[in-house]
Amino acid sequence: MFNKEQKEIPVYVFMGFLGSGKTTFAIDTLVKQEFTEGAKTLLLACEEGEIEYDEKALNEKNIYLEYIDEEKLNADYLLELGSKYKPENVMIEYNGMWELDRIFQIRVPKGWTVVQVISFVDATTFDVYVNNMKKIMMDQLRNADMIIFNRCSEETRTAEYRRSIRAVNRRGQVIFEDMQGNPIRNDDEVILPYDLDKDVIELEEEDFGIFYIDAADNPDKYVGKKIKFKAQAHRPSNYNSNEFVPGRFAMTCCADDIAFIGFKAYYGGANKLNDRDWIIVEGTIDKEFYPEFQGEGPVIKADSVSMTGPAKDDLVYFNY
C-alpha cells in the first residue's frame, strides 16, 4: 500500500477524525504486516484514540512511540526526536481536528520527506462531518494520496462519494472497505449518457461532470476521440498564449462547495478568450503528463472555439 522506494527518510502521514480507523491501520500495518521490516521507525501519535497501542509489541518490531500534542508539533521538537531516535522511517498519526497546513509548513529534520498522506473516513459519519466541519474534511480529502472509506454498508453511496472526491482530488486513490475491513470491489460497468462510438462525442450541458470524472479515470479510452461541448473559458496566468481550460463549475461532495473542473486545451486563439466566456469547443482528445494527476491525463486539441450563450444551469453534478 505504501511506496517505500525512497532514498531519504520517508514520512507517512495518516489522518482522519477520532474513530476513523487510524490506529487500527497503524497496528495492522506496522505490527501485523511488518511494513517496516525491522527498520527503526518513529511513530508520532497526535491523539489518544479509542484503541491503544501496545508499546511492548511495537518495541519488539523496532518501532518507538511518542505522543505529541499540538504545541509540540514544531521544528525544534521534531529535531530533538530525530536526534534521539535516528529513525529510518517516520509515521505520523495526525489529529483530524488540527489544521493540515501545520504538517507541511513546519521545518522537519534534514532528510525527512513526506512521501504519502492517507486519509481515513468513517462512512457512517461522513455526511455529518461534511455538513459540520466542511473545511477540515475537505482539506483532508484534497491533500490525500489515498482515501479509505471504512465501515461501509450496502446503503453507503460509494459511487457518489468517489465521483465527488475525484472532482477535488485528481490523483488520490479512493478505496472502500466493509464493516469487517475487507475491500469492496467497485467494478460495475459505468453506463455513460453519451456514445463513445460516435464519430463525435456531443456532450449535453449536464453531462460535463460525468465526462470529466470518467476521462480523468480512463484517459486511454478517450485518446483520439472527437468531442464537442459547451463550457466556460479559464486562462491560468502561467499558461502560454495557445493554452486555456474549458470547464464548468461543479457541485462537489459538500453543499455549497464549488470547484471549477476542466482539462487543458490547446487553441491558437486562446489568448483572445476571457475568463467566464461561454464557448462551444470542438476538437480531439489526447493525453499528456499532469502534475496534479502524478501521471497522464486528458488534454483537448481544439479545432474551433465559438462564443455561445450560458448553460441553463450554472453548475454541473456527478450523477449518472
Side-chain angles (χ1 to χ4, degrees):
M1 185 174 291
F2 289 113
N3 175 14
K4 297 196 292 181
E5 296 180 2
Q6 303 290 335
K7 293 181 180 180
E8 297 186 324
I9 298 172
V11 179
Y12 302 97
V13 180
F14 41 106
M15 57 190 176
F17 293 110
L18 188 66
S20 61
K22 301 188 299 295
T23 305
T24 299
F25 171 81
I27 293 172
D28 287 345
T29 302
L30 295 174
V31 179
K32 297 181 181 178
Q33 298 181 30
E34 298 190 31
F35 166 74
T36 57
E37 299 176 345
K40 194 171 189 180
T41 299
L42 174 60
L43 172 60
L44 301 179
C46 298
E47 64 182 351
E48 294 190 30
E50 298 172 342
I51 297 176
E52 296 183 357
Y53 287 107
D54 183 339
E55 291 196 49
K56 182 179 179 181
L58 290 174
N59 292 162
E60 289 175 354
K61 302 292 184 181
N62 207 18
I63 301 166
Y64 300 90
L65 174 67
E66 286 278 353
Y67 284 98
I68 182 170
D69 58 28
E70 193 168 9
E71 190 174 301
K72 287 185 175 180
L73 187 62
N74 58 63
D76 291 338
Y77 191 64
L78 291 184
L79 286 166
E80 181 182 322
L81 292 177
S83 298
K84 177 181 178 181
Y85 290 102
K86 296 180 173 57
E88 297 174 75
N89 300 288
V90 178
M91 314 283 286
I92 301 178
E93 180 185 346
Y94 198 71
N95 190 316
M97 296 301 296
W98 297 355
E99 290 290 339
L100 189 58
D101 287 346
R102 288 183 62 87
I103 197 65
F104 297 111
Q105 291 177 351
I106 59 176
R107 181 171 58 88
V108 297
K110 185 178 181 180
W112 289 25
T113 304
V114 177
V115 297
Q116 191 167 36
V117 178
I118 302 178
S119 181
F120 291 85
V121 180
D122 181 345
T124 65
T125 59
F126 177 62
D127 290 331
V128 173
Y129 279 117
V130 162
N131 291 330
N132 293 282
M133 298 181 182
K134 180 173 65 176
K135 183 183 184 304
I136 297 176
M137 174 63 81
M138 292 307 294
D139 283 346
Q140 293 182 15
L141 298 178
R142 285 192 181 101
N143 290 282
D145 301 296
M146 181 183 298
I147 300 156
I148 301 176
F149 281 82
N150 50 46
R151 302 184 180 95
C152 295
S153 66
E154 292 182 358
E155 287 73 38
T156 302
R157 306 189 306 277
T158 57
E160 178 183 331
Y161 289 166
R162 180 177 178 277
R163 290 194 297 268
S164 296
I165 289 171
R166 295 292 285 126
V168 297
N169 184 337
R170 297 176 176 178
R171 60 184 173 81
Q173 182 181 4
V174 184
I175 296 172
F176 296 94
E177 297 179 344
D178 62 20
M179 295 291 183
Q180 289 73 46
N182 301 310
I184 296 175
R185 294 190 62 179
N186 191 14
D187 54 3
D188 293 337
E189 182 180 358
V190 175
I191 300 176
L192 299 170
Y194 47 84
D195 190 348
L196 281 174
D197 294 326
K198 282 191 172 182
D199 292 338
V200 178
I201 301 170
E202 294 197 43
L203 300 181
E204 298 294 334
E205 291 181 1
E206 63 272 18
D207 293 339
F208 186 85
I210 298 169
F211 159 72
Y212 174 83
I213 297 297
D214 195 59
D217 283 347
N218 309 284
D220 287 339
K221 78 179 186 182
Y222 285 88
V223 171
K225 300 286 186 181
K226 297 284 187 180
I227 191 166
K228 179 179 179 180
F229 61 95
K230 177 181 285 192
Q232 285 185 282
H234 173 53
R235 295 203 65 242
S237 58
N238 62 332
Y239 271 31
N240 295 322
S241 61
N242 67 330
E243 300 172 345
F244 77 107
V245 179
R248 295 288 305 273
F249 285 93
M251 178 76 73
T252 61
C253 59
C254 303
D256 300 325
D257 193 77
I258 309 299
F260 185 81
I261 59 172
F263 300 120
K264 178 189 284 188
Y266 295 96
Y267 178 62
N271 59 347
K272 298 179 181 178
L273 298 172
N274 298 311
D275 271 6
R276 302 285 185 107
D277 277 348
W278 283 99
I279 53 178
I280 298 292
V281 178
E282 297 183 62
T284 304
I285 302 172
D286 203 343
K287 66 176 182 180
E288 66 179 40
F289 180 81
Y290 273 78
E292 301 94 330
F293 282 78
Q294 293 186 345
E296 292 183 323
V299 294
I300 298 169
K301 295 181 177 178
D303 298 316
S304 69
V305 175
S306 56
M307 296 296 170
T308 188
K312 294 178 182 178
D313 192 334
D314 287 339
L315 299 177
V316 292
Y317 305 86
F318 303 100
N319 299 317
Y320 287 98

